[in-house]
Every structure is written in structure tokens, then in C-alpha cells.
Amino acid sequence: MASLELRNVHKRYGSGLPDTLKNIDLKIESGEFLILVGPSGCGKSTLMNCIAGLEDITGGEILVEGSDISGMSPKDRDIAMVFQSYALYPTMNVRDNIAFGLKMRKVPQEKIDEEVARVAKLLQIEHLLTRKPSQLSGGQQQRVAMGRALARRPKIYLFDEPLSNLDAKLRVEMRTEIKLMHQRLKTTTVYVTHDQIEAMTLGDKVAVMKDGIVQQFGTPQQIYNDPANLFVASFIGSPPMNFIPLRVQRQGGQWLAILDSGQARCELPLTVADDAALEGRDVILGVRPEQIVVGKGDVGLPAVRAEVDVIEPTGPDTLVFVSLNDTKVCCRMAPDLAPQVGESLTLQFDPAKVLLFDAQSGERLGAQPAERPRNVAQFKGR
Amino acid sequence: MTSVVGHKPFSPSRLAIHATLLLACAVYLVPLVVMLLTSFKTPDDIRGGNLLSWPDVFTVIGWAKAWDSVGGFFWNSVKITVPAVVISTLLGALNGYVLSMWRFRGSQLFFGLLLFGCFLPFQVILLPASFTLGKLGLANTTTGLVLVHVVYGLAFTTLFFRNFYVSIPDALVRAARLDGAGFFTIFGRILLPMSVPTIMVCLIWQFTQIWNDFLFGVVFASGDSQPITVALNNLVNTSTGAKEYNVDMAAAMIAGLPTLVVYVLAGKYFLRGLTAGAVKG
């Protein structure tokens, strides 16, 4: 196992073409699980291919255990990869698929047999060793693909959207298995996904990417509680964070956000670090559905009454939609407390938990309370 | 599904379909039947009877005489065809591998130009080819003829393999590279074993083309190194003595048999290979 550090990694496919990756700076310690997450076309798979050596970088350094590997060929980097399509060799059986990388590295036969047996036992695919990939189900193929990576005991494991070809139920099962495997083996892993739930559940560190730029790099909790900008806030979380457009008012040295449901108004006091930051700006208030306090009586927070437009029971929770400042706002409630459509509901907002974003640039405005841990993002604006 | 096939075996439409098919078969088979019957007749029998009549006595004398005149050239054809087919198929596979998996700057243009080779008529390359063979010192040799066939066939075999390999996901090659396999290991251990249907297509296509070739054979070979097609022509077109149709027919059968055998043995791969990659399997 080894640490991995990306320093100012840059990728461009040709002069005159736009940058595919811009100034990527990431670092994970040995044994950590790094998630690269973002919408399609954000550069996350390109970045993974650059780490693997399947594509060259235009600038910067890729350090494994402190030494730069960016000039090495893929086979010398000691990195294994699990592909989205699994990429099992169709003419070889499972045993030969797992053993291929070891054979290429001229490992003695008895050592190969030993490794194949170890991996097969670990992944519970011992009974499949003589089958061809075409005779396996999707989940079994997935295991073999992981086995092929594990057999070589490389320094770093790369997973390229490994679960996206599985059906929903199997995906959840395999997600847990990957997590379990990582807890047991403590392998340094880079995992690409577009699924924010996989990102939250699996990662020790998460890098949210968009347009070839790392928007935020931190632990899942930091990403969730303290998003660096509107994009990160909207991408992570399901149901997504509510974004309420508003103008702030200044009253007696205090900035106030005005929430208007049509039947009532509420003035939400904001804690602003920099007084000038909000002057005359259109801002967006971000609040997660579970952070709106509803149906629990008066807890002494600023409140507004609003009429329920739509109710969506999901089982464990019921999502209640109301309208504030002409924007649909989702609240997450316990099912037994859920109101009927048309009823009025009191929504309470905790000023310490709401986030403020600039409506134009989408950047987070310095409105977070001081006791919150500082955002460690290496956000680089354009 | 069998019940559908067995359903109403004697319906009029089904009878009509089968009758039409049988008729078409007969039309196609009549020339072969005439050839076979004639090859087993004596020359007197041929002059006396009609084309479709049964031989009075079956005799293999025509076949024996035919083998005496073209048998040596049969082996010439084998010596030309087998190496030419094998070399052009292997080189085509290698070309297709590079053009689909290891794209270089201008590889698409290169492939486009290579495709022109498929549309070049034989006659166009006769003079340049004989000039080149002369310079190489290979004029009138079997090796020279093999070279011409390999070069001419490369456009086709490259096309077949390239089109098959573009349907194979890049991830396979990437996985092999990470596993530590090099250029030729990936080709030999992973891609070639997957290419059996395409290899069969190339074998059939190239074998038929090269075995049946007459023009290159008559131009680039002479005397004892001629292929069987040229020998057959010399035998049939001879103007001295009485026409021995039984010998002509037997010689034609001998010349045609190898392609027939190749089709029967490898034919099931032919359609499978030609449509490989057309639908996701």
C-alpha cells in the first residue's frame, strides 16, 4: 500500500483545445479510499486514466510513496484497475483471468496458484474458477474483475464506476462488500463514480469535480455540511438541498433573509463574517430538507407558516413540498407527523445551519458561524 | 419451436415454396451433374449419348488422365495458396489490431487509403508488380507469386480484422496493459484467440481468391511453376488431337474441389464472421 499525491496535474488533448483537467491537487494517505465524483464529462475518468498511465498528463506530478510515476508506462506503475465493463478476457476462464497479471510478471507457478486460491476464497468465487466470463452473471463478473486486481497486490487500486452495470439491488450489495473489503485489506483506492450515494458511503475523502476542476476536496461530512459552492451543494445529497433565491436586508447592524410563503413572512438573521459581502447582491439560501424543523412544536427558531403543495411518502420519510419565495421547497418529515395537502405547516429554520451562495458566481458566501470547522477545500475559481 | 415447423406440412403455400426451392436447386446443380457424369464417361459414350444421359460404363480413365496432366500443377497451387493465405491473414490481423487499438496520428487516413486496395482491379497492378518482382529477382518464381497475392490480399484482410477489432471494447487492451502485457502479448494472448470467426472469413476469402486466380498465375509464373488454373486452361484450350471432354471435366473438378472443401469445412463461420460486430452479441 502507498500514499498517492497529485500535484498540479494538467491535461489537454491538443493545443487549442480546452483543458480537460486543470490544476488538480489531491493527496491521500496509505490505505485511504478516495472518491472522484461528478457529472459525466467532468474529467473524473480521464484523471483516473492518467493515474493508471493509460493517458499522459500535460503537466504536473503524480507521486506514489513520494516518487513521481507520471513518466512511467502503465505496467511499471504497479497499479490495478477494475473497469466499468469489467474487461475480462473472454477466451480465458476465471482462473486464467485472475492469474494473467501474475504470469505477465513472471511469478512462479506455485505462487500464482496460491494467490488465485487466496483471492477466490476472499471473493467466494472458488466454484467459478473453470468457467468462462460469458457463463457468469453480472455480479460474478464484477467479483472476478476485482479478483484480478487483488491478485497482484498492487500499490494502488483504481475502480472506474464498477457498479454502474449492475441492477439496483446488486449494486447496494456490492457497495457494502467493497466497503467491507476495504476495511479488511486497507488498500489505497481511487474510485470513480457519478453516484453521490456511493461517494458518501464509501469514501474516506471525496473530490467533487466539474469541468476538469476539483470543486471541493474533503471528507464526506465536510462535503455534505460545508459545501464550497452551489454545485457541490446541489450535487451531494438526496433529496437535494433546497435553494431559495432572496435579497438580504440590513436592519440594525444585522443581515436578515426574508422568506415569504404568500401567507406569512419570516426574517431569518444571518451571521455574516464580512459585512460588505452581501451588499446589494442576489443571494441563494441553501438548506437541506432535513434541516427544516417541521411538526415538532415551537423550538424557538425563526418560523414561517406555509401551505403544503405536494406530499411524497418514501417509506422511512415523507417529503413535503411547500412554496417559499416562489420556489419549491422540500422538507423531510417523519411519516406519522406528515400533514395533508392543503394544510398549513410551520417551518422553522436554524440560522446556524443555512448556507448562503452568490447567485451569480455560485460561490459560498462567508456566512458560516465561526464554530463550524473551516472548509478545507482547494477550490480554484475560474 | 419445432411445432411451428411441423405445423400443416402439406399446405399449398408451403408446397409452392418447396417446389420453387427444389427447382432453383436443380437449375444450379445441373452443370455440376453434367460435369460429373461426363467425367466418368468414355469419349465414345460422350459423342454418342446426350449430356444428361447416364454413362454406359463408369470409368475413371478421364480422372487418371486429368491427374497426369494437371496433378503437378495442383501442388504448385497448394504451394502458392497456403503460404499466401496464412501470411496475408496474419499480417491483416496485425494491421487491423494496430489500426483499431493503437491509433496513431493519421491512422484513419491510412486506413482510408488502404481501402482503395479493395477496389483496384487486378489488371492495373500487372505492370508495376512485374517491374517490382523483376527488381527483387523474384520474376517467374512461386515466391514472387506468393508476394503478389499477399500484397493484393492485405487490403481485404486488414479491413476484415480492423472492423472486427473496433467492436471490441478498448478496456480489454487497457486492462491487459495494466496487467503488464506488451504489444505482441496482447495481440497473441487476448485478441487472436477471440478472432476465430474473422480468421475463418479471411481463410475462406483469401483461399478462394488465390486458388481461383488465373491472371496473376498466367502473368507471373511460367512453365513448371504455373498454378492449376493456368494448367487447366492450357489443357482445355489445346487444339491438337481429339477433344477429350471427360478429361477436361475431371480436370476442372480437380481444380475446383479444394475451394469446395474449404467452404464445407469452414462455411458455418463465414456468415457468422461477416456479421460479427454488426449486432451486440
Side-chain angles (χ1 to χ4, degrees):
Chain A
M1 288 307 108
S3 63
L4 171 70
E5 183 175 359
L6 306 182
R7 276 193 201 151
N8 206 15
V9 168
H10 211 80
K11 170 77 183 169
R12 187 186 294 165
Y13 279 100
S15 55
L17 292 173
D19 295 340
T20 311
L21 296 174
K22 276 173 264 190
N23 308 100
I24 308 283
D25 278 311
L26 298 171
K27 185 175 196 311
I28 53 169
E29 299 303 328
S30 177
E32 279 192 318
F33 201 115
L34 167 68
I35 302 270
L36 303 176
V37 66
S40 40
C42 73
K44 57 190 190 297
S45 288
T46 306
L47 182 56
M48 171 161 283
N49 286 335
C50 288
I51 297 172
L54 296 167
E55 293 192 40
D56 295 327
I57 54 175
T58 320
E61 287 177 313
I62 300 171
L63 299 121
V64 173
E65 281 178 324
S67 57
D68 189 8
I69 59 160
S70 56
M72 290 182 175
S73 76
K75 68 175 163 49
D76 299 326
R77 294 190 181 198
D78 202 9
I79 285 174
M81 187 158 168
V82 176
F83 290 82
Q84 181 176 3
S85 60
Y86 314 139
L88 300 177
Y89 311 126
T91 54
M92 299 181 197
N93 64 23
V94 170
R95 178 188 301 279
D96 292 339
N97 261 285
I98 295 174
F100 186 73
L102 298 170
K103 274 183 195 151
M104 287 299 111
R105 285 177 163 74
K106 309 254 184 324
V107 176
Q109 187 60 45
E110 57 266 37
K111 188 86 179 67
I112 292 179
D113 293 340
E114 211 175 281
E115 278 299 293
V116 171
R118 173 186 76 95
V119 167
K121 186 155 183 279
L122 190 69
L123 294 165
Q124 296 158 1
I125 50 173
E126 289 146 308
H127 58 296
L128 304 173
L129 285 177
T130 54
R131 299 227 197 131
K132 290 277 174 66
S134 58
Q135 298 166 310
L136 304 176
S137 69
Q140 291 168 334
Q141 291 183 354
Q142 167 71 59
R143 279 166 202 271
V144 176
M146 279 168 52
R148 193 168 62 180
L150 288 170
R152 268 177 38 209
R153 299 177 188 252
K155 287 185 182 145
I156 291 172
Y157 292 85
L158 307 178
F159 288 81
D160 188 6
E161 308 208 12
L163 303 182
S164 55
N165 281 0
L166 301 176
D167 62 56
K169 187 167 175 288
L170 202 54
R171 197 178 308 158
V172 176
E173 281 176 30
M174 290 304 293
R175 196 174 73 205
T176 314
E177 275 194 43
I178 290 176
K179 177 124 191 171
L180 194 68
M181 183 105 53
H182 180 252
Q183 282 172 3
R184 282 167 60 187
L185 303 177
K186 283 287 166 221
T187 51
T188 308
T189 307
V190 181
Y191 186 108
V192 162
T193 181
H194 60 263
D195 183 325
Q196 52 96 13
I197 296 182
E198 282 176 28
M200 290 297 292
T201 52
L202 288 172
D204 293 320
K205 294 276 175 61
V206 178
V208 184
M209 293 182 68
K210 187 190 167 208
D211 300 332
I213 297 172
V214 175
Q215 306 286 323
Q216 187 170 2
F217 176 52
T219 65
Q221 280 312 312
Q222 284 170 337
I223 303 269
Y224 189 79
N225 293 331
D226 231 354
N229 57 34
L230 204 56
F231 172 77
V232 175
S234 65
F235 195 78
I236 301 290
S238 173
M241 185 184 276
N242 294 300
F243 297 111
I244 308 166
L246 45 77
R247 263 186 179 275
V248 289
Q249 291 181 358
R250 196 179 173 96
Q251 218 170 65
Q254 176 80 46
W255 289 103
L256 296 177
I258 311 297
L259 297 172
D260 186 351
S261 70
Q263 55 172 279
R265 276 162 62 99
C266 133
E267 292 174 342
L268 191 62
L270 299 168
T271 338
V272 184
D274 177 6
D275 262 7
L278 297 180
E279 196 69 63
R281 283 211 223 184
D282 286 327
V283 298
I284 289 173
L285 182 88
V287 56
R288 296 209 180 269
E290 65 272 18
Q291 290 171 340
I292 303 174
V293 182
V294 276
K296 287 183 183 152
D298 189 356
V299 292
L301 293 170
V304 62
R305 280 189 78 73
E307 191 180 316
V308 174
D309 294 332
V310 181
I311 289 177
E312 289 180 354
T314 64
D317 301 306
T318 297
L319 305 180
V320 178
F321 291 88
V322 300
S323 189
L324 286 179
N325 292 9
D326 299 321
T327 307
K328 208 165 69 167
V329 171
C330 173
C331 321
R332 181 182 265 173
M333 295 185 73
D336 50 333
L337 298 176
Q340 297 296 310
V341 172
E343 277 183 39
S344 276
L345 196 64
T346 303
L347 315 176
Q348 300 178 77
F349 293 88
D350 183 352
K353 285 186 176 160
V354 299
L355 307 172
L356 277 188
F357 301 95
D358 186 296
Q360 264 82 47
S361 70
E363 280 189 56
R364 177 86 175 273
L365 294 173
Q368 69 265 51
E371 67 268 24
R372 187 88 51 84
R374 277 297 300 170
N375 177 11
V376 298
Q378 312 227 348
F379 174 68
K380 294 209 164 58
R382 275 166 293 169
Chain B
M1 291 308 276
T2 47
S3 65
V4 176
V5 175
H7 189 61
K8 282 197 206 166
F10 294 115
S11 73
S13 63
R14 188 153 290 274
L15 271 179
I17 289 170
H18 280 117
T20 313
L21 289 176
L22 280 174
L23 190 70
C25 279
V27 169
Y28 273 92
L29 282 175
V30 162
L32 182 67
V33 172
V34 170
M35 279 180 76
L36 267 177
L37 288 178
T38 309
S39 73
F40 287 112
K41 287 176 183 174
T42 60
D44 287 342
D45 194 0
I46 295 167
R47 274 189 289 277
N50 73 36
L51 271 180
L52 285 166
S53 69
W54 207 249
D56 290 338
V57 279
F58 270 91
T59 167
V60 294
I61 195 154
W63 285 80
K65 274 180 113 169
W67 184 252
D68 279 345
S69 9
V70 299
F73 300 101
F74 183 93
W75 294 117
N76 281 348
S77 273
V78 172
K79 277 182 240 163
I80 295 162
T81 308
V82 171
V85 168
V86 171
I87 294 170
S88 63
T89 302
L90 275 178
L91 285 181
L94 203 57
N95 279 351
Y97 169 56
V98 171
L99 287 172
S100 56
M101 301 292 180
W102 299 81
R103 301 230 172 109
F104 49 93
R105 188 179 283 272
S107 62
Q108 290 298 91
L109 179 71
F110 181 84
F111 178 63
L113 291 175
L114 196 74
L115 278 188
F116 273 110
C118 297
F119 304 110
L120 284 182
F122 277 29
Q123 290 81 352
V124 172
I125 68 164
L126 285 182
L127 280 176
S130 68
F131 179 79
T132 310
L133 288 183
K135 284 275 178 201
L136 292 174
L138 293 173
N140 291 331
T141 62
T142 306
T143 317
L145 202 48
V146 169
L147 180 67
V148 172
H149 279 302
V150 166
V151 171
Y152 194 83
L154 264 185
F156 293 93
T157 54
T158 303
L159 173 72
F160 290 147
F161 278 101
R162 184 262 182 195
N163 283 358
F164 174 62
Y165 289 148
V166 290
S167 71
I168 292 174
D170 285 349
L172 215 52
V173 173
R174 293 168 164 228
R177 283 175 67 194
L178 283 172
D179 267 344
F183 179 87
F184 284 105
T185 315
I186 295 174
F187 179 60
R189 295 285 296 273
I190 292 164
L191 286 174
L192 260 194
M194 296 172 66
S195 318
V196 173
T198 308
I199 292 173
M200 288 300 174
V201 167
C202 275
L203 288 186
I204 294 179
W205 178 270
Q206 284 296 88
F207 190 93
T208 313
Q209 291 288 315
I210 297 169
W211 186 273
N212 287 347
D213 162 67
F214 176 75
L215 190 60
F216 286 164
V218 81
V219 174
F220 298 126
S222 62
D224 288 341
S225 67
Q226 283 175 337
I228 192 166
T229 42
V230 178
L232 177 66
N233 176 68
N234 294 346
L235 173 76
V236 174
N237 280 346
T238 180
S239 46
T240 55
K243 256 298 184 210
E244 292 182 300
Y245 285 111
N246 55 339
V247 179
D248 292 356
M249 294 300 165
M253 291 295 300
I254 291 169
L257 267 180
T259 30
L260 210 60
V261 170
V262 168
Y263 265 95
V264 170
L265 291 183
K268 68 172 176 174
Y269 288 101
F270 193 60
L271 277 179
R272 209 192 285 171
L274 280 183
T275 55
V279 283
K280 199 166 184 279

